[in-house]
Amino acid sequence: MIRLARLAACLLFCFAAPMAMAQIATPPPAAAAAPSASDSATPATLPETLRGDIRDLVATLKDEKAREAFVARLSALLAAERQEAQTPLRDDWLAGATSALGAFSGSVLGLVAEAEKVPDQINRLFSSLSDPFVIERIAWAVGVVAAVLVAALSAEWAVKALLAGFRRAVEARGGGAFANRLVLLLVRTVLDTLPIVAFAAAAFGVLAVVDTPFLVRLAVVTVVNANVLARVIIAGARAVLAPDAARLRLLPLDDESATYGFLWVRRFTHTAVYGYFLLRTAWILGLSFAAYKVLGDLLALVIAGMAVVFILQVRSSVARRLRAWTAPSDGVARLRNQVADFWHLLAIAYVTAAYVVWVTDLQGGFAFLARATILSVFAVVAARFILFALHRVFGMVFRLAPEVKRKYPLLEARANRYLPALRQAGQALVAALTVVALLEIWGARPFEWLASTSGQALLARAISILVVMVAAFATWELGAAFAERMTARNPSSTRLKTLLPFMMNGLRVVIITIAGLIVLSELGVNIAPLLAGAGVLGLAIGFGAQTLVKDVITGVFILMEDTLSVGDVVEVGAHAGLVEKITIRTVHLRDFDGNVHSLPFGEVQTIKNMSKHFAYAVVDVSIAYRENIDEALAVMAEVAQDMAESGPLAETIIGPFEVVGVEGLRESSVWLRGRFKTRPLGQWNVRREFYRRIKAAFDARGFQVPYPHQTVYFGEDKKGGAPPLRVVRGEAGAATSRSRARKAEAAASAATQGPLIEEHPGARERQKGEGDALLPAVEK
């Protein structure tokens, strides 16, 4: 019913307007009088402006000089037209766009002029409807339209009813292999097309047997053609998307996406096909060309707006399908992800460009747009192929044979060091050439500009800058290779580890400074004031920063003399710790507690380095006076030999254990000393391990490692006897701490050297009377 109403409205519009306009255009009988002799050469229906132009042309042709000037102007116009036809579109696209905009403005003015005539024409139309002849003709046209519609729709419905069962059977057998679905889909498309053919055949058959005015016949044929074309396009879309037959669908789409796409195809088809045919019919029936152009541009604007809305609606879903499922490190995957991010902008720009070409009516505009698009796609694909070929070539060139790898295991790593840089340079060059090619394709003509004087000058500067940058990069790589070679030759040299960063930083500063000045000079910057300013600034800094200069110079000499290096354990003045960092001015020490000390080289007076070449782990052992010194020294040597032969620190000890001997006699012990020769920074671990082992060895063999103590001696009488020890009790009945200490010392001495206290007769009895005997008191 909706299609029937649409067809009826279109047909009524197409035949009613020409019938009425034909009646309006029919001159009244009075106007049909014979023209006068003076106006025999000019019809009475010509406007006054056109009559004036004709008179001016006749006068020009009669005057010889004016006629020659007129002919010269016409010849110039023809020559300009031939030159413009020989000139490519992109050479004069701006002039073409300007003239097209001017034509568009004239069309708008013409449409405004037509709109001003609408009220008058409507009044004349309604006045003509009072004529019985006009009403009769309109009734006859309505009957013809009704007959055409009834015949066409009846034929369509009959064919559709006959093929409905067969169509359902085809859809029910869908699924399976791709070939099976393709065949069934083609059969269903043919079944969908047969009702359309029946509709067209019935409509044209009725028109063939019915006598109708030319304008009415033209309108009916136009609408029928529009309907047939639109339905054929929709049938093709139904075959591709299959929104109502998922089992026949060839594309990997779900039902919602297929239905959504089919809906938009119908919208675009109805808008474009019916809009175009209606405008075309209106122009044939008398609509001015200016109004026809403006309305066509408005129709194109509506279609372009619909396309933009459709692009924005499917932006996310298309982006998801464009994104790569592989790792983003792949070049193709990165390209796909980038295209997925802004594909809608490219599509909107393309739609906008197509609309601009349509509106401005550039000669060959759509052909140029299509050709530029195809060439752009070809350029991008070619660039991608070239990048792939470069990747393969670089891989083949920098790949070494297995025997070469075995003979020189580090050669491939050194050769492949420059492979990423070469790949990036190749990719940048291909990208630049692709951009230039795209600009040339779209009419920017960069090659002609590069061939000009300014282009050659800019290209020469760019080449000079590129050469300077390559030379700077090569110099830096040579310096880095030299530093790496020195480090590889002396991997354990802390001096190189300290000096090489300073040398590389200095080389970096020099390269950046020189290369930067040359680049600025190539860019046209006057570097003489920069050099003069830098000299003056350096002189001012030298006077104002004497302390800084002192620190720098002292640091340079300290580093050159290899006094300390990163990783050394040093003692600088009152600070000691591990050298963690050395700058051109300061040294940073981290002590055992984790604190960092920053010391300027200018304040360094003495440096005690405890990690140069080798170290000595000096060990001191104390034994009791009663012990045998030679046996103790032998135990020390035995423990040291065991440490040097086995254990976690055997690699750290690089020399035999030196038994120094007795270093001194202390108040309560004999001081023995020895030392190990160790690797740098290993002396502390060796010393700790030796103390742990010597303590276990002395305990196992009964050697006493004494603690500080005193022996109390009370003297002897002439007979060799010793006086008894008297214990004094306090008021609370407890001995003082000093008495307890003396008693403990006396008991220990009695246990080791024999009793020094002689007990007098009667002493025990007196002590019993006091509540304690001597020995129990001492034990307490």
Side-chain angles (χ1 to χ4, degrees):
M1 295 301 295
I2 296 176
R3 185 167 66 251
L4 179 60
R6 183 165 58 245
L7 286 174
C10 294
L11 289 172
L12 289 176
F13 166 79
C14 294
F15 80 82
M19 292 290 297
M21 294 303 297
Q23 294 298 324
I24 294 173
T26 302
S36 62
S38 61
D39 296 330
S40 60
T42 302
T45 56
L46 292 178
E48 184 63 30
T49 56
L50 183 58
R51 294 177 185 175
D53 294 337
I54 293 175
R55 294 192 189 97
D56 295 338
L57 179 59
V58 171
T60 302
L61 294 176
K62 290 180 179 181
D63 189 355
E64 184 177 357
K65 294 183 178 180
R67 184 174 65 253
E68 292 178 356
F70 182 67
V71 171
R73 290 180 59 187
L74 291 178
S75 301
L77 288 175
L78 291 175
E81 184 179 359
R82 286 194 299 270
Q83 183 178 2
E84 183 179 358
Q86 295 175 359
T87 303
L89 169 67
R90 60 185 180 183
D91 292 342
D92 200 18
W93 64 271
L94 183 59
T98 305
S99 60
L101 290 176
F104 178 75
S105 302
S107 300
V108 173
L109 295 177
L111 179 62
V112 172
E114 290 288 334
E116 293 177 354
K117 301 177 182 179
V118 169
D120 185 40
Q121 292 180 355
I122 292 176
N123 293 331
R124 296 174 62 183
L125 175 62
F126 281 105
S127 62
S128 64
L129 292 177
S130 59
D131 188 354
F133 179 72
V134 173
I135 295 176
E136 181 181 356
R137 295 185 62 183
I138 291 176
W140 170 253
V142 170
V144 171
V145 170
V148 170
L149 290 178
V150 170
L153 294 177
S154 299
E156 177 187 0
W157 289 337
V159 175
K160 187 179 294 184
L162 290 174
L163 301 177
F166 191 37
R167 189 175 185 275
R168 287 193 297 268
V170 171
E171 293 178 353
R173 297 183 59 183
F178 180 83
N180 182 46
R181 287 181 292 157
L182 179 60
V183 172
L184 294 176
L185 188 61
L186 292 176
V187 172
R188 197 193 71 157
T189 304
V190 173
L191 296 178
D192 291 338
T193 308
L194 290 177
I196 302 174
V197 174
F199 176 87
F204 288 119
V206 173
L207 285 178
V209 299
V210 177
D211 186 15
T212 57
F214 172 76
L215 294 179
V216 175
R217 181 181 296 272
L218 179 62
V220 173
V221 170
T222 302
V223 174
V224 171
N225 290 336
N227 182 267
V228 171
L229 179 60
R231 295 181 62 187
V232 168
I233 295 175
I234 293 173
R238 183 180 288 108
V240 174
L241 299 175
D244 52 352
R247 302 184 63 183
L248 298 178
R249 190 176 304 139
L250 301 179
L251 299 179
L253 299 174
D254 53 7
D255 294 340
E256 182 180 358
S257 301
T259 305
Y260 180 79
F262 182 71
L263 175 64
W264 272 100
V265 170
R266 293 181 58 183
R267 291 175 179 175
F268 281 112
T269 302
H270 290 160
T271 304
V273 173
Y274 286 111
Y276 172 77
F277 275 97
L278 287 177
L279 287 178
R280 194 75 176 178
T281 303
W283 179 47
I284 294 174
L285 296 178
L287 184 67
S288 66
F289 184 75
Y292 169 74
K293 287 290 295 181
V294 173
L295 293 178
D297 295 340
L298 293 178
L299 177 62
L301 179 61
V302 172
I303 297 174
M306 293 172 60
V308 171
V309 172
F310 175 73
I311 291 171
L312 294 178
Q313 288 184 357
V314 300
R315 169 187 174 184
S316 301
S317 59
V318 174
R320 284 195 301 269
R321 292 182 177 272
L322 288 177
R323 293 190 185 278
W325 295 95
T326 58
S329 59
D330 186 13
V332 178
R334 288 197 302 268
L335 179 62
R336 290 184 59 177
N337 293 336
Q338 292 174 0
V339 172
D341 292 334
F342 59 84
W343 77 270
H344 60 286
L345 299 179
L346 296 177
I348 293 175
Y350 199 83
V351 170
T352 305
Y355 177 72
V356 170
V357 170
W358 172 270
V359 171
T360 55
D361 197 15
L362 292 177
Q363 183 180 0
F366 284 105
F368 172 76
L369 189 63
R371 182 175 65 255
T373 302
I374 295 174
L375 292 177
S376 299
V377 173
F378 177 76
V380 173
V381 173
R384 181 58 195 167
F385 177 77
I386 293 173
L387 290 177
F388 177 76
L390 286 177
H391 179 75
R392 297 295 298 272
V393 169
F394 286 151
M396 294 175 60
V397 170
F398 286 88
R399 185 184 299 114
L400 300 180
E403 57 274 9
V404 178
K405 290 182 181 179
R406 288 193 299 268
K407 189 175 181 179
Y408 305 101
L410 300 179
L411 181 59
E412 186 175 12
R414 293 177 57 187
N416 291 337
R417 180 189 307 169
Y418 305 98
L419 184 57
L422 289 177
R423 285 179 176 174
Q424 293 179 359
Q427 291 176 359
L429 180 61
V430 173
L433 293 178
T434 304
V435 171
V436 172
L438 291 176
L439 292 176
E440 182 70 22
I441 290 172
W442 288 96
R445 312 187 71 172
F447 291 107
E448 292 186 4
W449 179 80
L450 290 175
S452 63
T453 304
S454 58
Q456 290 181 355
L458 181 60
L459 188 61
R461 290 186 177 183
I463 294 175
S464 301
I465 293 173
L466 181 62
V467 170
V468 170
M469 294 180 66
V470 170
F473 178 76
T475 305
W476 170 256
E477 287 297 324
L478 290 176
F482 175 77
E484 186 175 341
R485 185 176 181 182
M486 295 296 293
T487 305
R489 287 184 176 181
N490 303 282
S492 60
S493 176
T494 56
R495 183 182 183 185
L496 286 178
K497 293 180 181 179
T498 304
L499 290 178
L500 284 178
F502 285 105
M503 297 173 60
M504 296 306 297
N505 287 334
L507 180 63
R508 182 186 295 109
V509 171
V510 172
I511 290 176
I512 292 177
T513 302
I514 296 177
L517 291 176
I518 295 177
V519 169
L520 290 177
S521 177
E522 290 295 332
L523 293 177
V525 179
N526 188 8
I527 62 174
L530 295 178
L531 296 176
V536 174
L537 183 62
L539 185 62
I541 291 176
F543 279 110
Q546 298 182 14
T547 303
L548 177 63
V549 174
K550 176 184 176 182
D551 294 338
V552 173
I553 294 176
T554 305
V556 169
F557 279 102
I558 288 175
L559 295 176
M560 294 297 295
E561 294 172 359
D562 197 18
T563 306
L564 54 83
S565 303
V566 175
D568 291 349
V569 176
V570 298
E571 183 178 331
V572 181
H575 306 277
L578 176 69
V579 179
E580 192 173 72
K581 180 182 177 182
I582 299 178
T583 64
I584 195 66
R585 191 182 69 87
T586 60
V587 57
H588 299 264
L589 306 179
R590 186 178 294 275
D591 60 18
F592 189 76
D593 295 330
N595 304 316
V596 178
H597 305 267
S598 298
L599 305 174
F601 283 121
E603 299 179 3
V604 175
Q605 300 299 326
T606 59
I607 298 176
K608 178 181 178 181
N609 196 327
M610 292 173 276
S611 54
K612 275 294 182 182
H613 307 303
F614 64 90
Y616 283 108
V618 180
V619 292
D620 295 325
V621 178
S622 297
I623 61 173
Y625 277 96
R626 69 174 187 177
E627 305 294 345
N628 190 317
I629 295 176
D630 294 334
E631 292 181 3
L633 293 176
V635 172
M636 291 174 61
E638 181 182 350
V639 172
Q641 183 178 1
D642 183 64
M643 288 179 58
E645 292 178 354
S646 62
L649 299 176
E651 297 293 334
T652 307
I653 301 172
I654 61 175
F657 180 72
E658 299 181 21
V659 179
V660 179
V662 179
E663 187 68 18
L665 300 175
R666 295 176 178 174
E667 295 180 355
S668 58
S669 62
V670 179
W671 178 11
L672 306 180
R673 171 171 286 187
R675 70 176 183 177
F676 294 88
K677 187 176 183 180
T678 68
R679 299 186 186 278
L681 303 180
Q683 61 266 37
W684 295 286
N685 292 332
V686 171
R687 183 183 300 152
R688 296 187 188 98
E689 180 65 16
F690 178 80
Y691 284 151
R692 185 184 69 83
R693 294 193 179 201
I694 198 65
K695 173 63 171 60
F698 279 179
D699 290 343
R701 303 188 186 191
F703 282 88
Q704 181 185 8
V705 180
Y707 51 86
H709 62 276
Q710 293 181 349
T711 302
V712 181
Y713 179 69
F714 291 97
E716 297 178 353
D717 55 10
K718 293 181 178 180
K719 297 180 179 181
L725 177 63
R726 297 182 181 277
V727 180
V728 180
R729 295 283 183 176
E731 296 181 355
T736 63
S737 60
R738 183 175 299 175
S739 299
R740 288 181 181 274
R742 290 177 180 176
K743 291 175 183 178
E745 292 177 358
S749 177
T752 57
Q753 301 178 2
L756 298 179
I757 302 174
E758 182 180 357
E759 184 175 348
H760 288 262
R764 186 175 296 278
E765 287 78 8
R766 290 196 301 271
Q767 290 173 357
K768 288 180 180 180
E770 294 175 357
D772 270 325
L774 175 62
L775 293 178
V778 174
E779 290 175 1
K780 292 180 180 180

